[in-house]
Amino acid sequence: MAKPVMCIVLTQIVLVALFHLCMSSQTKECTSTSSLSPQFYDNSCPKAQAIVQSFVAKAHSNDPRMAASLLRLHFHDCFVNGCDGSLLLDNSGTIESEKRAVTNVDSARGFEVIDDIKSALEDECPQTVSCADILALVARDTTVITGGPSWEVYLGRRDAREASLIASNNNIPVVSSTFETIVTKFNDQGLGLIDLVALLGGHTIGNSRCKSFRKRLYNHSGNSDRDQTLNQNYASMLQQGCPISGDDQNLFALDYMTPNKFDNYYFKNLMTFKGLLSSDEILYTKSRDSMELVKLYGANEELFFEQYAKSMVKMGNISPLTGRNGEIRRICRRVNH
């Protein structure tokens, strides 16, 4: 009986070694933060980060769901022409808002919190802190306040003067995306498989609507069947609140074990086939490489936190507007006039 135990231990050692080898071999290009700097506002708006933290704390206290909603905004902003605050722009005569995209309409929320933060920052240091940087800071602070890792947020992004509804619909994976599609969409942003698995670990907090996973419960392959990669007891539990029709908006935790705590239970759930969304469970069922990462993060929360922080910094550096490009919006919902 000792031999299988030894194999398991050796496997974990090899996985950790490979993880650190891969991390150390990342190119400078992948980890570069260009002209961004954690000290960007130290002189021009020294209270900026404290102001953002205070509003995040208040929003989370008022509504624990808000943490995941605010975190999601940064993802959905960065995947569309870079981290430039374009997601925050409302519809206007010249702008088709990204808020109307398939992945955002009736689900993206927290815009009022961003408005309040921006208003406070404008009072403190007018036209200095960008809306894009607010999203980056908020993503870090919501992670920390729910128990996750912290990291230095590189700052100095400027705000876009335009949005792209088309790119928003094309660039962001949806719950029905295949594993290959998700990998491609992350690769298109300069994010590799390690980044993908770690960043999807952000689904350790947050909720999804019944309509987003109903097909897994009742008609997965078009033959009135359940998804066989979904734990059947878990599926029966979900069916109690997500009937075959109706109740589309009923909410379910992405991590049913610790729904409001940022931890590694997301990965543990995938390993027992209790990932709520198909686009999550396929990390464990469709690729040996991603499966090994799921196992690694499920067994070692510290490694998950370490990589999540690195990948968040990397994602936050996707095509930022700097220098004279873009602008510093006075109001995040509209361009300056």
Side-chain angles (χ1 to χ4, degrees), residues 33-36 40 155-158 319-326:
T33 47
S34 64
S35 58
L36 305 181
F40 190 84
L155 302 164
R157 302 167 190 80
R158 289 167 65 84
S319 304
L321 297 173
T322 58
R324 295 179 179 273
N325 296 314

Side-chain angles (χ1 to χ4, degrees), residues 160-173:
R161 296 189 177 97
E162 57 189 13
S164 178
L165 177 60
I166 293 174
S168 191
N169 279 323
N170 290 339
N171 295 4
I172 302 172

Side-chain angles (χ1 to χ4, degrees), residues 99-331:
K99 296 174 185 178
R100 299 167 58 197
V102 171
T103 53
N104 296 325
V105 68
D106 296 330
S107 64
R109 60 195 290 267
F111 298 109
E112 295 79 7
V113 177
I114 304 300
D115 292 340
D116 291 344
I117 294 172
K118 180 60 173 172
S119 178
L121 288 170
E122 286 297 302
D123 289 343
E124 177 69 22
C125 35
Q127 219 165 342
T128 301
V129 181
S130 70
C131 302
D133 276 348
I134 291 172
L135 289 179
L137 287 167
V138 164
R140 190 268 312 275
D141 294 343
T142 54
T143 300
V144 171
I145 205 168
T146 52
S150 184
W151 60 90
E152 275 195 321
V153 178
Y154 284 74
L155 302 164
R157 302 167 190 80
R158 289 167 65 84
D159 298 322
R161 296 189 177 97
E162 57 189 13
S164 178
L165 177 60
I166 293 174
S168 191
N169 279 323
N170 290 339
N171 295 4
I172 302 172
V174 296
V175 295
S176 60
S177 292
T178 64
F179 178 78
E180 291 76 14
T181 296
I182 296 172
V183 169
T184 297
K185 290 183 185 294
F186 272 73
N187 287 346
D188 287 346
Q189 305 301 330
L191 300 170
L193 183 64
I194 289 177
D195 301 306
L196 186 164
V197 177
L199 291 173
L200 283 184
H203 282 179
T204 184
I205 57 174
N207 298 273
S208 188
R209 289 173 169 78
C210 167
K211 65 179 181 179
S212 298
F213 60 87
R214 174 183 281 126
K215 187 175 180 181
R216 299 188 74 199
L217 300 177
Y218 299 104
N219 194 28
H220 181 62
S221 62
N223 294 313
S224 301
D225 58 339
R226 284 182 182 175
D227 184 347
Q228 294 304 302
T229 66
L230 183 63
N231 179 283
Q232 297 304 292
N233 291 331
Y234 180 52
S236 297
M237 182 183 77
L238 294 173
Q239 285 180 325
Q240 294 176 21
C242 184
I244 195 168
S245 63
D247 293 335
D248 286 1
Q249 304 304 314
N250 284 0
L251 291 173
F252 294 78
L254 291 167
D255 168 9
Y256 80 104
M257 290 292 291
T258 55
N260 296 313
K261 188 177 189 313
F262 199 104
D263 56 23
N264 67 338
Y265 262 95
Y266 166 81
F267 299 106
K268 294 180 180 181
N269 292 336
L270 298 186
M271 293 164 63
T272 55
F273 304 100
K274 295 175 184 176
L276 183 66
L277 303 178
S278 172
S279 52
D280 288 325
E281 192 59 55
I282 56 178
L283 295 183
Y284 193 68
T285 61
K286 295 297 185 181
S287 160
R288 180 172 294 278
D289 290 339
S290 62
M291 173 191 281
E292 295 303 330
L293 286 168
V294 168
K295 290 179 181 178
L296 180 61
Y297 297 148
N300 193 323
E301 186 175 78
E302 183 179 352
L303 277 180
F304 164 49
F305 279 12
E306 178 185 341
Q307 183 54 42
Y308 183 84
K310 289 180 179 179
S311 294
M312 285 295 288
V313 171
K314 188 174 175 182
M315 185 185 75
N317 192 47
I318 297 174
S319 304
L321 297 173
T322 58
R324 295 179 179 273
N325 296 314
E327 65 182 11
I328 305 297
R329 286 186 220 137
R330 298 182 187 91
I331 298 172

